[in-house]
Amino acid sequence: MLEEHYPFVAQPLPYEYDALLPVLDEETLHFHHDRHYQTYVDKLNATLADYPQLQQMSLTELLTSEDNILASLPEEARKSIHNNGGGVYNHQLYFDSMRSPAGQEPCGALEEALVRDFGSVRQWKEQISQAATGVFGSGWAWLVSDQDGTLMVLTTANQDVPDLKLYTSIFPIDVWEHAYYLQYQNRRPDYVEGWHKLIHWKKAGRRYEQVLCRLERAAGEAEKLQNDSRTTEANDR
């Protein structure tokens, strides 16, 4: 999903528009997905249309690149890629991280990490709920993993994304008003409480397992290098 390149396409919902009832209704999802998310996709494509040198870059590359290609762009274009690219990234992950409210709970390695890093799943829930309700204005609250597999809660403003070079996004909650206002008006805490019932914990668990797999591969490569070094030293004696 995140490795696609220009022209970007709004990903369809992985469920029906009424699948998230009663937490999120059809009107909210149509408004949020079909209009707001689609607008970010359209504006990102409109900006990239003028820059063929960027059109083979993935969404992740566009959001993390610090090379001269992006640095040489006009400020307006850089700002559009940051804001609209972030809007595409954030919304794709948000919609893909939910499912019908079926009482699913975290399990396996992700549950163990939540307990290890937050004290309990309940304490994690309290922390991310406080973060989400406490975002001033528009933004996001995130569950992320750092490069060592440690979980943490972050917030970002507007359509900013977590630093993708430092963190792997497990899932976000959108606390822009367009995510909930049609149904909840100004009752953001009620929306946040309901959102917990929608978390697709199996997908979240798979994302975290990818972090652990990278750690395991890195450890294996480091061990191999160490063994090769020892062998070389022994042969040189």
Side-chain angles (χ1 to χ4, degrees):
M1 177 175 67
L2 301 178
E3 300 311 311
E4 297 174 356
H5 55 75
Y6 173 90
F8 292 94
V9 177
Q11 300 296 317
L13 288 176
Y15 36 76
E16 299 299 325
Y17 285 91
D18 62 354
L20 305 186
L21 286 167
V23 178
L24 290 175
D25 60 22
E26 294 176 68
E27 184 181 17
T28 296
L29 281 180
H30 276 292
F31 183 69
H32 193 181
H33 179 275
D34 301 355
R35 296 175 65 176
H36 282 275
Y37 168 41
Q38 182 68 60
T39 296
Y40 288 116
V41 173
D42 293 342
K43 288 185 175 180
L44 178 61
N45 284 333
T47 297
L48 295 177
D50 295 329
Y51 300 99
Q53 69 272 32
L54 305 181
Q55 292 176 4
Q56 294 303 311
M57 295 178 69
S58 70
L59 184 57
T60 303
E61 290 170 337
L62 287 169
L63 293 172
T64 59
S65 178
E66 297 177 355
D67 59 28
N68 293 331
I69 294 178
L70 292 185
S72 65
L73 298 181
E75 181 180 358
E76 183 178 354
R78 293 199 308 271
K79 185 178 295 184
S80 175
I81 291 170
H82 175 86
N83 292 336
N84 293 300
V88 174
Y89 175 91
N90 294 352
H91 282 90
Q92 283 185 353
L93 196 59
Y94 171 72
F95 290 122
D96 194 54
S97 296
M98 297 187 291
R99 54 160 291 165
S100 59
Q104 192 185 170
E105 296 292 338
C107 61
L110 181 55
E111 180 186 16
E112 293 173 4
L114 288 169
V115 173
R116 180 195 67 210
D117 296 331
F118 295 96
S120 68
V121 175
R122 178 185 59 79
Q123 288 174 288
W124 164 79
K125 178 180 177 181
E126 291 173 354
Q127 185 169 328
I128 198 170
S129 294
Q130 290 172 1
T133 56
V135 170
F136 182 78
S138 301
W140 303 75
W142 300 80
L143 176 65
V144 302
S145 171
D146 70 9
Q147 295 174 334
D148 295 324
T150 300
L151 296 174
M152 58 191 70
V153 168
L154 302 178
T155 60
T156 58
N158 301 315
Q159 294 300 347
D160 292 351
V161 304
D163 188 331
L164 301 181
K165 293 182 178 179
L166 298 178
Y167 304 111
T168 296
S169 303
I170 306 302
F171 54 70
I173 173 172
D174 188 345
V175 290
W176 281 64
E177 285 190 342
H178 64 237
Y180 62 89
Y181 200 85
L182 289 177
Q183 189 170 349
Y184 292 91
Q185 286 79 53
N186 64 340
R187 304 190 312 276
R188 184 189 285 185
D190 292 347
Y191 157 67
V192 172
E193 179 65 27
W195 165 82
H196 280 280
K197 302 174 185 176
L198 303 178
I199 299 170
H200 199 313
W201 283 109
K202 288 184 179 179
K203 283 186 177 179
R206 288 196 290 269
R207 290 173 190 144
Y208 186 63
E209 286 167 4
Q210 290 174 355
V211 175
L212 300 182
C213 286
R214 288 197 295 270
L215 283 171
E216 186 176 345
R217 284 198 301 271
E221 291 170 0
E223 183 178 2
K224 182 178 184 301
L225 286 173
Q226 188 176 44
N227 290 338
D228 290 346
S229 177
R230 288 172 179 167
T231 300
T232 300
E233 290 176 0
N235 291 336
D236 289 342
R237 288 173 188 164

